[in-house]
């Protein structure tokens, strides 16, 4: 029986993946190369510094910057990203998410966040989502990035729930792999073919219910 649902943030509950992409693409443009949306897929669920390496590699600049310069580039990207985030409101929570979270609460299911982002708290507050969570694990609490399972296993541990009773909702291949490594089932959100390894897939949370989840995963 599923007693805990663990949610990735970017790309699952809110559409901040497009802000991450725009901020990286702006940085790449300033450095003199283009970073396409397809190339941006590889940064989903990946930590900030690992994402920077992916972007620099696309531009053939992986060995060009010192560690200090890379820290500066990452900080500039984050400032751009936060500028986009500052426009967010509770209306930016993706369709069907609030209804599904309320359905979980009604069924006594625990709700956790498992995000690689150091900005997760800011986003939860802007979108009035923080109070929904029984446990919040984000990039300020864990340093090992997905596909390391810690971002999900830590949430289950905080709530005292066995991994086999947890389901992870993810939009990134690295996150599905992290869930599998944590011994948890997973739901791939968004229909990307990179999510084929998830236990089940949904396009959006619209009309999705705890009953429907349990019919496929139990
Ligand atoms: P930050 P998630 C991840 O969040 C994003 O998918 C990924 O693109 C980003 O690089 C990472 O957070 C770190 O974010 O720079 O805000 O600390 O999908 O795990 O919720
Ligand atoms: Mg994500």
């Amino acid at each position: 029986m599923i007693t805990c649902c663990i949610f990735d943030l970017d790309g699952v509950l809110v559409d901040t993946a497009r802000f991450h992409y725009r901020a990286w693409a702006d940085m790449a443009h300033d450095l003199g190369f283009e970073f396409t949306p397809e190339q941006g897929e590889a940064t989903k669920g990946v930590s900030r510094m690992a994402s920077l390496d992916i972007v620099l590699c696309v531009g053939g600049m992986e060995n060009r910057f010192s560690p200090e310069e890379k820290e500066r580039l990452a900080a500039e990207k984050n400032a751009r990203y936060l500028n986009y985030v500052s426009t967010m409101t509770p209306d930016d929570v993706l369709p069907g998410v609030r209804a599904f979270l309320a359905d979980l609460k009604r069924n006594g299911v625990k709700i956790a966040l498992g995000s690689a982002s150091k900005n997760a708290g800011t986003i939860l507050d802007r979108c009035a989502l923080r109070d929904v969570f029984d446990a919040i694990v984000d990039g300020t609490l864990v340093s090992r990035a997905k596909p390391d399972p810690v971002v999900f296993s830590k949430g289950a541990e905080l709530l005292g729930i066995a991994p086999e009773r947890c389901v992870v909702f993810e939009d990134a291949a690295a996150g599905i792999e992290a869930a599998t490594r944590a011994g948890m089932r997973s739901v791939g959100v968004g229909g990307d073919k990179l999510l084929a390894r998830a236990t089940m897939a949904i396009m959006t949370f619209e009309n999705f219910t705890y009953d429907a989840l349990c019919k496929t995963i139990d």
Side-chain angles (χ1 to χ4, degrees), residues 10-11 17-18 40-46 51 54 170-175 192:
D10 293 333
R18 72 202 152 107
E41 286 296 308
T43 66
K44 284 188 176 175
V46 177
S51 297
I54 289 168
E170 255 293 347
D171 72 321
D192 193 291

Side-chain angles (χ1 to χ4, degrees), residues 121-144:
T122 306
I123 295 166
L124 293 182
D125 288 338
R126 287 217 62 87
C127 296
L129 273 176
R130 189 186 282 270
D131 291 348
V132 172
F133 292 95
D134 299 295
I136 293 178
V137 178
D138 63 17
T140 65
L141 199 66
V142 296
S143 53
R144 291 203 298 277

Side-chain angles (χ1 to χ4, degrees), residues 8-14 16-17 20 43-46 114-116 146 169-172 175:
D8 170 53
L9 180 62
D10 293 333
V12 169
L13 302 177
V14 290
T16 40
H20 278 296
T43 66
K44 284 188 176 175
V46 177
S115 168
K146 301 167 188 174
F169 291 80
E170 255 293 347
D171 72 321

Side-chain angles (χ1 to χ4, degrees), residues 173-194:
I176 299 294
E177 192 183 332
T180 306
R181 286 200 206 170
M184 298 174 183
R185 264 82 58 84
S186 57
V187 178
V189 182
D192 193 291
K193 57 183 183 307
L194 294 173

